[in-house]
Amino acid sequence: MARYTGPVCRLCRREGQKLFLKGERCYTAKCSVARRAYAPGQHGQGRKKTSEYGKQLRTKQFAKRYYGVLEGQFRHYFEMAEKMPGVTGENLLRLLESRLDNVIYRMGFASSRAEARQLVLHAHFTVNGRKVNIPSYLVKQGQVISVKDSSRQLGKIKAVIEANSARPVPKWLELNRDKLEAKVVAAPAREDIDLPIEETLIVELYSK
């Protein structure tokens, strides 16, 4: 499985916003964006005019890195969103939110999407009682995501869940912390997705 393996804090600095790629570190004073709020590299602190294309590209890059997907995957989601009824930009975000690794993160069962992806790959979760180890699996309304029975007593799993117990859960998920599971009660609505972007810019970029 292809994935980005470089320094993730560099991605946050390039986008000028926190992507929450390093879990708890992102909430502390050690966060690279908080310490160096400018783009990385020799010319990172230089002033640059941004063209309309540049704005569209940065918006797409931010969304892609926020959810931890590569370019080919992102374009595939866009093509899926185009074929769905409704607004293409909102459909795109809805698909990205519905990825299993993102759902695990939203449940508070991982400190970052990268950690959630690793836990899914190691088969620690089930969907409707069946083991799923594909991070890109798209969950649907009515499905129940649970910690696998054999994983419930693992120290790492218990520590991660405890550390993120205070994180708010979106309205489209119904979390049962005692049972270590969550039910998808609705499709993610745009107002429930805390992604500070104009998704229409992504649509404009890919529509050229």
Side-chain angles (χ1 to χ4, degrees):
M1 181 185 70
R3 61 190 179 90
Y4 175 79
T5 58
V8 293
C9 289
R10 187 181 181 90
L11 300 181
C12 296
R13 289 179 59 206
R14 181 62 188 87
E15 300 307 327
Q17 300 183 61
K18 292 185 180 185
L19 299 174
F20 300 99
L21 302 176
K22 296 205 75 171
E24 294 304 314
R25 182 188 176 96
C26 299
Y27 298 93
T28 68
K30 294 181 179 180
C31 174
S32 293
V33 174
R35 291 189 300 157
R36 293 177 290 178
Y38 51 86
Q42 181 179 357
H43 305 291
Q45 298 185 66
R47 291 186 177 182
K48 296 180 181 179
K49 290 184 178 180
T50 305
S51 64
E52 190 61 31
Y53 172 77
K55 293 177 183 177
Q56 295 167 355
L57 180 62
R58 289 266 57 84
T59 301
K60 186 263 292 185
Q61 291 292 85
F62 177 78
K64 183 166 67 79
R65 290 165 172 171
Y66 185 82
Y67 287 102
V69 299
L70 299 181
E71 180 61 36
Q73 293 174 300
F74 196 84
R75 179 171 283 276
H76 175 64
Y77 287 128
F78 179 79
E79 292 170 353
M80 290 175 62
E82 277 190 310
K83 298 174 183 177
M84 295 167 59
V87 182
T88 300
E90 292 184 8
N91 290 340
L92 173 62
L93 296 184
R94 193 172 292 119
L95 287 169
L96 292 166
E97 277 289 308
S98 299
R99 285 173 54 99
L100 181 57
D101 55 358
N102 179 74
V103 174
I104 299 301
Y105 171 74
R106 294 295 192 193
M107 290 166 63
F109 287 5
S111 298
S112 66
R113 289 177 180 82
E115 184 175 56
R117 192 171 304 120
Q118 184 182 48
L119 293 174
V120 173
L121 285 170
H122 291 175
H124 290 302
F125 295 93
T126 63
V127 178
N128 283 358
R130 299 185 65 177
K131 181 185 72 175
V132 178
N133 61 353
I134 303 172
S136 61
Y137 177 89
L138 297 177
V139 302
K140 300 176 179 63
Q141 186 173 347
Q143 290 184 323
V144 177
I145 299 91
S146 310
V147 178
K148 193 172 65 173
D149 289 342
S150 58
S151 301
R152 292 173 180 250
Q153 299 306 316
L154 292 178
K156 177 175 176 57
I157 300 292
K158 294 171 71 175
V160 167
I161 293 174
E162 180 62 29
N164 297 286
S165 59
R167 184 186 301 159
V169 178
K171 292 185 293 186
W172 54 277
L173 289 175
E174 188 177 85
L175 178 64
N176 187 324
R177 195 168 292 280
D178 293 332
K179 293 184 177 181
L180 298 183
E181 66 180 30
K183 183 177 181 179
V184 182
V185 295
R190 181 61 183 98
E191 57 267 25
D192 298 326
I193 303 173
D194 57 350
L195 190 61
I197 65 166
E198 295 180 49
E199 60 272 15
T200 53
L201 294 176
I202 301 174
V203 178
E204 292 171 3
L205 177 67
Y206 279 133
S207 298
K208 291 182 177 180

